[in-house]
Amino acid sequence: MKKIIYYIIYNILYNYISYRLYFMEKNYNVICESDIGLEEYILYEIKNILNKDINYDINIINNKINILLDLEEEDIIRLMYYSRTLDNIYKLGGSERIRINLSNRNYNIFNINRLKSTLVSKILYLSRIYEAKNILNLMDDGSFSIEEGILLKNIPVIFWKMKDIKYTIDFQIYNKVDKKIYCVHKDPNLLYKIEKNSEKALVDDITIFRRINIEWLDQKFKSESIDRIFVFKIKNRYELSKKEKYIFFQSDYLLRKGGKLYILLYNNINNYDQIIKNIIDYIKKYNIEYIRSYYIYNNNKKLLLLEFKKI
């Protein structure tokens, strides 16, 4: 037992020292950390926030991506305020060390999210959520609806931590946004919690909560009225259930031409190939086209994101 403990301690120290030496050699002073998956959107966001080309290296350790940068103090502060995809920002070197956990969203009254908000933000960038006017979230735990709202209204995720941050920066919140986010779930207790979180997050003005079963959606929404649909599939099985089949029927009815459907599989199935094959075979009867899939991680759990398009 002692040998195992010594071995673990040795490996931790070895990795830490190696990492620090790597930083010294490359002259990097910042680590930006996130779960692996959709890395191109983390880099896109960083470049967009800093508004300049950057030199960087990438290390992947234990399903975490570490983006190594050499940044000025002002650039670090801008990342702290505007990044939605980074879990943590570490500043090394000098007398001051900064460690900011951005994945903890302080707007939560009820901490019910199954998904990390930073992961949701990467998916929203992928979906080009800015182009959508009407968004539908099925079986949402609140993470999608609220993150969509604060992204569309340009509310920095650090807004609710202002009293704990000594740095200040000017930013503009869009109070009026011509968008509608529909959060649908059959559990009234969960809907109540999501609604309360959305009030604190300042996005309840564009978020509409409805308790509707999936099979009745076409009775409550107009045909071709939705631009983006986000769905969770949580059952640990390969076959599509009757409820899951309704997802494609309703998406065919609700989505505008060119609209996108995203299904997130977050179960414990290691081989997703059969699920994808079953879905592709099933949707041949609809005007829904499978585009591609993305492996992503949520707190070390491997997930699969499926992307579809209304044709």
Side-chain angles (χ1 to χ4, degrees), residues 3 36 70 103 115 118 159 166-167 190 201 204 224 280:
K3 288 184 178 180
I36 64 173
D70 181 27
S103 63
L115 297 174
T118 47
F159 178 82
K166 67 178 181 180
Y167 308 99
L190 183 60
D204 55 310
E224 299 185 354
I280 291 174

Side-chain angles (χ1 to χ4, degrees), residues 7 56 77 79 81 95 102 107 129 132 146 171 179 184 188 223-224 234 246 260 274 290-291 300:
Y7 178 77
Y56 64 90
I77 295 170
L79 282 182
Y81 269 80
S95 59
L102 297 176
Y107 57 68
I129 200 71
I146 296 175
F171 57 87
K179 311 278 186 179
V184 173
S223 175
E224 299 185 354
I234 61 176
Y246 267 114
K260 294 289 188 70
Q274 187 61 47
Y290 169 73
I291 304 299
N300 279 326

Side-chain angles (χ1 to χ4, degrees), residues 253-302:
Y253 177 82
L254 296 173
L255 282 175
R256 293 189 177 100
K257 187 175 181 180
K260 294 289 188 70
L261 164 66
Y262 294 89
I263 299 180
L264 187 63
L265 308 180
Y266 63 106
N267 46 35
N268 295 319
I269 298 175
N270 293 319
N271 185 352
Y272 292 104
D273 293 344
Q274 187 61 47
I275 298 177
I276 295 174
K277 182 180 181 301
N278 290 346
I279 290 175
I280 291 174
D281 289 342
Y282 181 75
I283 63 175
K284 289 177 180 177
K285 64 173 74 176
Y286 299 119
N287 296 309
I288 300 290
E289 180 183 23
Y290 169 73
I291 304 299
R292 63 167 295 183
S293 58
Y294 309 83
Y295 283 112
I296 51 183
Y297 279 79
N298 183 64
N299 289 321
N300 279 326
K301 292 184 179 179
K302 188 177 183 180

Side-chain angles (χ1 to χ4, degrees), residues 16-201:
Y16 174 77
I17 294 171
S18 299
Y19 212 33
R20 291 301 300 270
L21 290 173
Y22 183 82
F23 263 86
M24 292 170 62
E25 179 185 349
K26 294 288 186 177
N27 293 319
Y28 293 121
N29 66 342
V30 174
I31 306 175
C32 295
E33 181 191 77
S34 188
D35 286 332
I36 64 173
L38 302 177
E39 287 85 1
E40 62 267 38
Y41 295 99
I42 306 173
L43 293 169
Y44 160 81
E45 184 188 61
I46 291 174
K47 292 176 182 178
N48 190 52
I49 291 170
L50 300 181
N51 195 27
K52 62 182 180 183
D53 291 330
I54 55 173
N55 294 320
Y56 64 90
D57 277 341
I58 290 178
N59 284 339
I60 295 179
I61 301 175
N62 296 329
N63 299 326
K64 297 286 184 182
I65 177 174
N66 294 281
I67 301 173
L68 286 52
L69 299 164
D70 181 27
L71 299 178
E72 301 292 335
E73 191 75 14
E74 181 181 346
D75 290 336
I76 299 172
I77 295 170
R78 289 187 64 81
L79 282 182
M80 285 167 46
Y81 269 80
Y82 290 114
S83 175
R84 302 174 187 276
T85 65
L86 295 175
D87 291 339
N88 289 289
I89 298 175
Y90 304 91
K91 179 186 174 185
L92 301 178
S95 59
E96 183 179 27
R97 297 187 179 188
I98 297 176
R99 180 187 184 277
I100 301 295
N101 185 345
L102 297 176
S103 63
N104 255 343
R105 307 298 209 226
N106 280 24
Y107 57 68
N108 281 337
I109 301 173
F110 301 99
N111 189 17
I112 55 176
N113 293 358
R114 294 186 183 95
L115 297 174
K116 290 176 72 170
S117 300
T118 47
L119 170 62
V120 172
S121 292
K122 285 185 271 189
I123 296 173
L124 297 182
Y125 282 130
L126 164 69
S127 73
R128 302 179 67 87
I129 200 71
Y130 296 105
E131 300 174 355
K133 186 173 183 180
N134 293 316
I135 303 155
L136 176 62
N137 302 312
L138 302 179
M139 297 179 281
D140 189 10
D141 64 352
S143 52
F144 266 87
S145 295
I146 296 175
E147 286 298 311
E148 286 162 352
I150 67 172
L151 180 60
L152 294 174
K153 293 186 70 172
N154 197 44
I155 306 175
V157 297
I158 210 168
F159 178 82
W160 295 272
K161 298 181 183 179
M162 290 296 189
K163 63 182 181 180
D164 301 322
I165 306 298
K166 67 178 181 180
Y167 308 99
T168 57
I169 195 169
D170 292 329
F171 57 87
Q172 178 186 7
I173 294 175
Y174 305 143
N175 290 317
K176 293 185 178 180
V177 178
D178 186 23
K179 311 278 186 179
K180 288 288 187 295
I181 300 168
Y182 297 95
C183 181
V184 173
H185 205 286
K186 68 177 182 179
D187 184 347
N189 182 54
L190 183 60
L191 277 179
Y192 169 79
K193 292 178 179 179
I194 300 171
E195 186 170 6
K196 287 302 177 183
N197 282 348
S198 74
E199 290 175 8
K200 188 176 181 185

